[in-house]
Amino acid sequence: MIPTHGYAAHSATSAPAPFAYQHREPGPNDILLDIDFCGICHSDIHQARNEWSNALYPMVPGHEIVGRVARIGTGVKKFRVGDTAAVGCMVDSCRQCPSCTAGEEQYCERRATVFTYNSRDKEGNLTFGGYANHIVLDEAFALTVPAGLNPAATAPLLCAGITTYSPLKHWNAGPGKKIGIIGLGGLGHMGLKFSHAFGAHTVLFTTSANKIADAKKLGADEVNLTREEGWAAKHAGTFDFILDCVSADHDVNVYLNLLRRDGVLCLVGAPEQPAGVSAFSILGRKTFTGSTIGGIAETQDMLGFCAEHNIVSDIEMTSFDQLDSAWDRVVRGDVKYRFVLDCKSLSAE
Ligand code: NAP
Ligand code: ZN
């Protein structure tokens, strides 16, 4: 077994605290990763605080992981000891259903996707994520990190990156398209970067006046401050696609009204309460849909695209002794634009 130090939430109301546990001994297809960096995703907070009513405690969050391969099983082909490797939101799936064989393991039709944390593996054991110094997983669900990408700033690509890249690709964001991004947080700032890199006319909707200048640097052609009166009228019926990256409850009808005929609003944010959609907002054959992360092959493609286009996350480094206040700052929208934990410090504890 692999003795591991991490930080775990033990209830919806207690702050994450140091936690010692064990990962399985690496099997033939497994790698042991010494974790260097882990991003803080808003989903970590939703789940640790049980806002999705699915919490399994003790919970070691973290699904934006970059580290170095410390050990490999006898059958491992993709990695050598010393390689930089990454892990995102899932570590296994059934691998046989049509979604899995199509490389969309996040949509496993047997509902056998094993998430990196707050999930159970095929043996029924709880999975533990990246707020830790080690993780053990099957190499099939680990990603190779192209040389040249800054490892700390690469970590958020494993969730915030792929969650925005995948739907923007799926709905063909590109030249001649008018694309909206709602919410300039971890997901939203990656959405801006990708939409801009794909060549689309990119418009940000934000509630934060202090993010307007940054949004333009990150790739927005236009920025709308949605706390101002009358901002929506000039955009009514003009968008091809809008990606909603907001973490809190909000009115989606406002944005459905901005879509042109056959336009698509894709909700990737996961607020606590269901969204209420008015029939009148979707009359123009509009689509209100969702998307979750992306498959392993597409995540690997995204990392290649990022290396080619010099795209990483804008990060603020933080430490485990600041974790609780970092979570509160994420909830307040006060991070530019993703916190990353330095996990190397845990090995010394
Ligand atoms: P985040 O960094 O906290 O960003 C959320 C942004 O939403 C904030 O920066 C803010 O942007 C906006 N916002 C917050 N409260 C708001 C409110 N009351 N009204 C309007 N806008 C508000 O969160 P994140 O890590 O990017 O995650 C965003 C959401 O996506 C979370 O719910 C998360 O669980 C979910 N998620 C889903 C997937 C998936 O696979 N579908 C993957 C990862 C995360 P402004 O300041 O610009 O307004
Ligand atoms: Zn995430």
Side-chain angles (χ1 to χ4, degrees), residues 55-100:
L56 301 170
Y57 302 108
M59 188 190 304
V60 178
H63 55 209
E64 296 186 334
I65 300 168
V66 170
R68 283 154 301 111
V69 177
R71 213 192 292 173
I72 58 173
T74 49
V76 166
K77 298 197 176 61
K78 259 189 346 198
F79 298 99
R80 283 192 246 171
V81 170
D83 283 354
T84 302
V87 185
C89 299
M90 33 178 195
V91 291
D92 207 350
S93 73
C94 89
R95 310 187 195 199
Q96 288 163 355
C97 74
S99 288
C100 287

Side-chain angles (χ1 to χ4, degrees), residues 40-44 46 52 63 89 159-160 163 182-188 204-208 210-211 226-227 244-250 267-271 291-293 330-335 337-338:
I40 296 180
C41 178
H42 205 122
S43 302
D44 302 345
H46 287 309
W52 296 343
H63 55 209
C89 299
C159 176
T163 300
I182 317 173
L184 189 48
L187 268 56
L204 176 76
F205 304 103
T206 180
T207 58
S208 306
N210 66 351
K211 296 180 183 172
T226 55
R227 296 215 189 280
D244 186 335
C245 304
V246 174
S247 52
D249 300 323
H250 61 290
L267 182 64
V268 286
S291 177
T292 193
I293 50 173
V330 172
V331 173
R332 290 200 302 272
D334 175 26
V335 48
Y337 280 91
R338 196 60 138 186

Side-chain angles (χ1 to χ4, degrees), residues 5-331:
H5 293 287
Y7 269 67
H10 290 271
S11 78
T13 50
S14 55
F19 178 57
Y21 55 102
Q22 299 197 321
H23 275 293
R24 67 174 181 262
E25 197 63 34
N29 299 316
D30 287 341
I31 61 171
L32 164 67
L33 204 60
D34 287 347
I35 301 176
D36 291 327
F37 301 106
C38 185
I40 296 180
C41 178
H42 205 122
S43 302
D44 302 345
I45 305 165
H46 287 309
Q47 289 176 94
R49 296 183 176 169
N50 202 21
E51 291 167 1
W52 296 343
S53 305
N54 69 343
L56 301 170
Y57 302 108
M59 188 190 304
V60 178
H63 55 209
E64 296 186 334
I65 300 168
V66 170
R68 283 154 301 111
V69 177
R71 213 192 292 173
I72 58 173
T74 49
V76 166
K77 298 197 176 61
K78 259 189 346 198
F79 298 99
R80 283 192 246 171
V81 170
D83 283 354
T84 302
V87 185
C89 299
M90 33 178 195
V91 291
D92 207 350
S93 73
C94 89
R95 310 187 195 199
Q96 288 163 355
C97 74
S99 288
C100 287
T101 50
E104 305 267 26
E105 302 89 350
Q106 73 281 25
Y107 302 125
C108 175
E109 287 159 41
R110 295 182 187 160
R111 295 186 165 257
T113 307
V114 178
F115 294 97
T116 305
Y117 69 87
N118 196 31
S119 187
R120 290 193 186 276
D121 66 17
K122 283 175 181 157
E123 284 72 48
N125 299 314
L126 266 184
T127 57
F128 294 119
Y131 292 16
N133 61 348
H134 301 300
I135 190 167
V136 173
L137 76 157
D138 190 307
E139 66 159 343
F141 283 76
L143 292 305
T144 60
V145 177
L149 284 177
N150 174 296
T154 295
L157 300 179
L158 279 301
C159 176
I162 186 61
T163 300
T164 50
Y165 179 92
S166 180
L168 286 166
K169 283 282 248 195
H170 185 81
W171 280 283
N172 301 312
K177 295 286 178 68
K178 186 173 175 184
I179 304 289
I181 306 286
I182 317 173
L184 189 48
L187 268 56
H189 94 290
M190 291 312 308
L192 281 187
K193 289 186 186 211
F194 287 131
S195 180
H196 177 74
F198 296 159
H201 183 83
T202 305
V203 180
L204 176 76
F205 304 103
T206 180
T207 58
S208 306
N210 66 351
K211 296 180 183 172
I212 293 175
D214 282 352
K216 291 186 175 157
K217 285 188 218 139
L218 291 164
D221 297 293
E222 296 177 53
V223 182
N224 291 270
L225 188 57
T226 55
R227 296 215 189 280
E228 274 175 358
E229 282 290 299
W231 63 271
K234 67 174 185 226
H235 290 297
T238 63
F239 279 86
D240 295 285
F241 179 76
I242 299 178
L243 190 64
D244 186 335
C245 304
V246 174
S247 52
D249 300 323
H250 61 290
D251 182 8
V252 296
N253 295 287
V254 176
Y255 299 98
L256 288 165
N257 287 324
L258 305 187
L259 296 174
R260 62 164 181 72
R261 171 173 52 81
D262 295 327
V264 175
L265 174 64
C266 177
L267 182 64
V268 286
E272 212 169 340
Q273 297 301 321
V277 174
S278 158
F280 299 99
S281 308
I282 50 175
L283 286 180
R285 250 177 3 209
K286 297 172 188 181
T287 301
F288 180 50
T289 187
S291 177
T292 193
I293 50 173
I296 294 299
E298 189 174 35
T299 306
Q300 195 64 66
D301 285 351
M302 173 209 62
L303 289 169
F305 182 88
C306 289
E308 210 174 296
H309 293 82
N310 206 14
I311 292 175
V312 284
S313 173
D314 286 28
I315 59 169
E316 278 187 50
M317 292 303 298
T318 189
S319 53
F320 284 93
D321 54 355
Q322 301 291 316
L323 183 53
D324 205 36
S325 67
W327 279 8
D328 287 337
R329 282 185 54 195
V330 172
V331 173

